[in-house]
Structures are given as structure tokens and as C-alpha cells.
Amino acid sequence: MEYRRIKDQDKDEDAVHDDVESLRGKPHSDSPINALGGSSVDRTKWKRKSVVTLALTVLTSSQAILIVWSKRAGKYEYSVTTANFLVEALKCALSLAALARIWRKDGVTEDNRLSTSWDEVSVYPIPAVLYLVKNLLQYYIFAYVDAPGYQILKNFNIISTGVLYRIILKRKLSEIQWAAFILLCAGCTTAQLKSNSDQVLQTPLQGWVMAIIMALLSGFAGVYTEAIIKKRPSRNINVQNFWLYVFGMAFNAIAIVVQDFDAVVNKGFFHGYSLITVLMILNHALSGIAVSMVMKYADNIVKVYSTSVAMLLTAVVSVFLFGFHLSLAFFLGSIIVSISVYLHSIGKPQR
Amino acid sequence: MEYRRIKDQDKDEDAVHDDVESLRGKPHSDSPINALGGSSVDRTKWKRKSVVTLALTVLTSSQAILIVWSKRAGKYEYSVTTANFLVEALKCALSLAALARIWRKDGVTEDNRLSTSWDEVSVYPIPAVLYLVKNLLQYYIFAYVDAPGYQILKNFNIISTGVLYRIILKRKLSEIQWAAFILLCAGCTTAQLKSNSDQVLQTPLQGWVMAIIMALLSGFAGVYTEAIIKKRPSRNINVQNFWLYVFGMAFNAIAIVVQDFDAVVNKGFFHGYSLITVLMILNHALSGIAVSMVMKYADNIVKVYSTSVAMLLTAVVSVFLFGFHLSLAFFLGSIIVSISVYLHSIGKPQR
């Protein structure tokens, strides 16, 4: 099995992972510098992991805030497919710009050259295809569930990511970390409870099945991306991103032709774009890159925690920005998610 | 400090406690018999602890079901004070009956004789007084909070019991057990969420303060009762119960005179009693004894877990008995409480 190898190749990363885990939450552990044995390489790795995780959290919450802002400003008047295409194009451009800097500094090496082999690149379209199938299913699930219900069912993603992470990447979570992960799912759902949330229990069987399939597709896409990126630990992340995003661009170009061909031809590619649209594209591009970085330097579990905490941050910020009210359910959910984060950090597996 | 001694006197109990903890949840532990070293004394203690905990859980949930049943059957037509008095009297009678059996079997000893010293008996009225003050406050808190809001605020009891258990009885909970305890509180509250629960957030400051004072009184009464009972580990529990309940009878007799004197004189002591009333008195008496037994052979933490699980059981049984609907919040709360129980059992403190 191909993924088994990733685990072994990645032992070094893994060791750092454990150290980071221990110093993040354990009150009895030594200071970060002692815990990492004072090695500056390890310190750099730990810093890098923290920075990308923080970036993902901040970008994801500002993303949600931009969506609320754009909804308040009026309906989407631009073609969503063109915006998605531009997000992928921008990510490609940013990866190339980062690579250009690296080439100037270090020269072109085996690890940072853009040219690739069929063996390396052949798996890169798979996440894009998985997300495409998931997005297609999204249209059909609304026949069975309304939008608030779908928001609640989407929390299955948390569980599916944990299960697939364990099965496909063969990484172990301790019993406490599993308990923490189920709590994360329960806490996020609790935080989202509205007075009409019980309707989701009336979802017909087809709706449940589709929600579970979508959660599995989404979880599989995330775990598969991590597997691709970690398969070659020494390969430069910007090269890996470049190839991921090239296929993203290709699939979104097809989507423009299929869905919005007439609108683009008649009204132009950029019709209906506003300042918010541009900010959203910029934000999506940056958070997309942050996700890749988290996959490279941390893992899917960190990604799930990061986006869950971002969901809570969004709600708190919305109180100040938009005068939202926080519900009792939100407070309870936040407590549960906080304890989940704490338990995850103290519950690292014993080896 | 008097309570410090309890801890030392009780080391034997404590050791059993730990063994029971380890075998209840830890998947890697040996079988019960191995874990307890095969000692039949330890096995008996473990069995006794399990039986009283199970009894308390079952009695508490049937108690809630009887309350729902009696509400459906119509309003309370009997004097609540006479029923409370009869509960205390029945508990006294049952303790005496148990003692009579023990005296016939073992003879009267230092540990099971009914006569007592001022030093032993002087602290017994204190829990009764604390509960009386708490029940008086209960009338005043409804000026600030409605009944469903009060149900939610009552979950502070869980936290106050944990804190006072730590401070007064000097028993340690591990970090994981503290996390589990906060989860228990959050999970119980989540399970009770209704569409109008957010109103509780509008509670005025006086309401919050009173709710916290009531939680502290209730927690203190529980922890103090445990301290009294555990202060003399070898003293027969039925003697300890007898003296606790004698003061309960006395305080409830005063309550009859103050509140329902006219009704009792004009309509008689047993006016308005029905089959349900008799069943409720019987149930309250048995669960009162079960609480004392849990204090003697387990502790307040076990009591809180037992009554919390009973709350969930009641809701599930009510679905079948009364056609209640379970909400999404209830499912989420049940998951969180279950994980809390699991974490408490695996998270025993290291010594």
C-alpha cells in the first residue's frame, strides 16, 4: 500500500509533531525550548506549524465574515464559477512568485524544480475531482434538507476526517483524542443550534445517506491531499501547490463553460465584481494556500480544529460587526470545543 | 482542620475507589478480579458501590417519571409538607428495621449501637438546615427566573459540588476528570435546551447571584453530608442515617405547622393522598437512602454522575411512556455526558 510508506518516510515530522503537541497543552511539560531540546531546526518547524495554523484560523473566520458582509450588501451578481477560477489562478500565481524567490536564493534543485514526473503528478487531479463530485451532490441534497439543516449535517465532516485520517494515513489518535474529536463534532453542532434545528431529525433516509457520502468525499479529499503532499516530504510545498492548483484551474474552467458560458460571453468575465468580490477572491486564495501549508507542516486534524475554532471566532466577531446575538447553545458549544482542544493537546498517544 | 483527618482515616476506601475506577473504564486494565487482587473484601466493596450507584440512578429516574405522571394526573391536592415528613419518617423506620436485623445477627456493638455522643450528633442537623435555607431561597429566585430557566441554572450544582468536594474533602480530581466535570455540566445543560432557553441569558444579576448561592448551598450540603458520614468509616450507615433523618423529621414537622397547619387540622393529615402520592413517598424515601449509601461507599462525584445519567434515562423512558419527543439538543447533550463519564473513568489521578 502506497500510504504506508508515507508514515515511515515521515518519522521525523512525526517526532516534531509529538513535541509540539506536548508543549501546546501539557501544563507539566517544560518550556518549548527545553521540550524541543533547543534544536533550532525543531524550533523553526514548530514556529512554522503554529504560523500556518494561526493563518488558517484567521483567514477562515474572515472568510465567513466576508460572506455575511456580501450577503448584507445584496445578492451575488457575479458568476461564482469565474470567481472560483480566479481563486485557483491567484493561488497558482502566488506559488510561482514564491518559487521564483526561492530559485533566486537557492538556485533550482531537485526539490524545488517545477518539472515533474507522471508518477508524481498523476494523483494531483484526484482531490479536485472529489471536491467536484461533492459540490455536484450539494445541489441534490437540498431536495431533502434545508440550508440550516445542511450546516448541521456538515459536521459529519469532522468525524469522517478523523476516521479516514486513521485508516488511510495510519496515524494514531489516543483514546482521549478520539473522545476529544467526537466532542469537537458535538460542540460545533451545539454552537450552531437554532430554535428550528430539530427539523433536521426529520431528514429522510436519502438525506442522511447523501450527507454521510458527502462527508466521506470531503474527508477523503482532505486526507488524500495530505497523503500526496507528505509523500515527498523534501519536495518544495510551492511546487506541490502549483500542480494542485493547475488542476483546480482546469476543472473550474470547465465549470465556467458548462454553467456560465452565456453570462460571461454577453456580460463579460468580470461582470458584477465589487470590492467585496475582490476581497473574497483574495481571502479564498490565501486560505487555500494556508490549508496546503497546514497539510504539509501539520495535518488534517489540526486543520479541522483550526476551522472549527474559526467558526466560533466568526460568531464572536459578528457580534461586534453586525450586532449578532450569541445564544446559550453557542456558549455551551464554545465550552465544549475549548475542552476538546485542551483534551486533544494533553491526550497525545503514548509510544 | 477536621476534614483533613477524614482523608487519612479513609485511605482504605480510597484505594478501593481507585481500583474500581480503573476497571470501570480502562480498556487495558485487567479483569475486575485480577485488578482487585482477588480479595473477596475488595470485591464486596466494589459490588456494594456499584449496587448503590445503580440503585440511585434507577430511583432518581423513576422519581422524575412519577412527577410527570402525577402532573398528568392533575394538580397536587395533598400537603407537600406532610408528604415530606412521611418521607423522613419512612427513612427513619427503614433504617431502624435494618438495624434491628443487624442487632439480631451480630449483637449490639460500639459501631452499630443507636446511642450517640454530642460530638457525633451535633453536626447532623447542619445539612438539614442548609437544604431548608436553599428551599426558602427557591421561592425568591422565581422573581428573577422562570421555571425552565431555573432548571438550566440548577446545573451550576455540578460545578459547585466539584469545587467544594476538592476544597472541603481535599480529594483530588485529575485534569482530565476536571475537564470531564465541566463537560458533564455543559452536556446536561445542552440536553435540556428548549427553543426559549436563551431567555435565561436575560436573567438579572440578582438572579445569577442567587442561583450561584443556591448551587453553593446545595453543593455544600452534599459535601458536608459525605464528610459527616465518612468521618467515622466503621460506624454503621443505618445509625448515621437514623440520626440524619431524625433531624429531617423535626424540620419537616416545623414546616407542617408553619405552612399547612389549617389544612391538616381541617381536612386531615392524609387528605388528597392517592396511589401516585404513596408511590412518590416510597420512591423519595428509597432514593434518599440510596444517596446516603452513595456518600458512604462512593462519593459526591459519583452521586452527581448518577443523577445526571438518570436525567437522560428519564427522557428516554418518557418517549415510550408519555410519547415525548427527543430534541437534537438532547442527543448532543447525551453524547457529551457519555464522553464525560468515559473520561472520568479513564482519567483517575496518578499517585
Side-chain angles (χ1 to χ4, degrees), chain A residues 188-303:
Chain A
C188 286
T189 314
T190 302
Q192 293 170 327
L193 283 180
K194 301 270 176 300
S195 56
N196 57 357
S197 295
D198 278 0
Q199 288 173 9
V200 80
L201 297 175
Q202 263 86 55
T203 305
L205 185 64
Q206 296 99 313
W208 290 105
V209 172
M210 284 181 71
I212 290 167
I213 291 175
M214 285 173 67
L216 287 173
L217 280 170
S218 162
F220 188 70
V223 169
Y224 198 86
T225 306
E226 184 178 341
I228 291 172
I229 289 178
K230 290 220 174 119
K231 195 183 170 188
R232 292 174 169 78
S234 63
R235 193 75 161 117
N236 190 286
I237 177 67
N238 295 297
V239 177
Q240 295 180 311
N241 278 349
F242 175 82
W243 286 109
L244 271 177
Y245 303 149
V246 161
F247 289 106
M249 275 173 75
F251 282 106
N252 278 294
I254 297 170
I256 295 178
V257 174
V258 173
Q259 272 184 41
D260 290 318
F261 187 74
D262 288 347
V264 168
V265 166
N266 296 329
K267 299 194 245 168
F269 193 91
F270 294 101
H271 77 269
Y273 275 58
S274 65
L275 176 64
I276 305 176
T277 320
V278 173
L279 288 176
M280 282 175 80
I281 289 171
L282 203 64
N283 181 292
H284 270 83
L286 292 176
S287 36
I289 291 174
V291 168
S292 286
M293 296 284 184
V294 167
M295 300 290 187
K296 179 86 176 181
Y297 303 120
D299 52 49
N300 267 284
I301 305 297
V302 169
K303 186 203 153 202

Side-chain angles (χ1 to χ4, degrees), chain B residues 217-248:
Chain B
L217 280 170
S218 163
F220 189 70
V223 169
Y224 198 86
T225 307
E226 184 177 340
I228 293 173
I229 290 179
K230 290 224 173 113
K231 195 181 169 189
R232 291 175 169 79
S234 63
R235 192 78 161 116
N236 189 287
I237 178 67
N238 294 297
V239 177
Q240 296 179 310
N241 278 348
F242 175 82
W243 285 109
L244 270 176
Y245 304 148
V246 161
F247 289 106

Side-chain angles (χ1 to χ4, degrees), chain A residues 27-28 152 175-176 179 182-183 186 189-190 193 195 197-198 200-201 326-329 332 335-336 339 342-343 346, chain B residues 27-28 152 175-176 179 182-183 186 189-190 193 195 197-198 200-201 326-329 332 335-336 339 342-343 346:
Chain A
H28 300 311
I152 285 178
E175 286 149 32
I176 291 173
I182 299 169
L183 283 176
T189 314
T190 302
L193 283 180
S195 56
S197 295
D198 278 0
V200 80
L201 297 175
L326 295 181
S327 65
L328 178 57
L332 293 168
I335 292 170
I336 295 158
I339 292 182
Y342 171 73
L343 288 171
I346 66 165
Chain B
H28 300 310
I152 284 178
E175 286 149 32
I176 291 172
I182 298 168
L183 283 176
T189 314
T190 301
L193 284 179
S195 55
S197 295
D198 278 0
V200 81
L201 297 175
L326 295 181
S327 65
L328 178 57
L332 293 169
I335 291 171
I336 296 158
I339 291 181
Y342 170 73
L343 288 171
I346 66 166

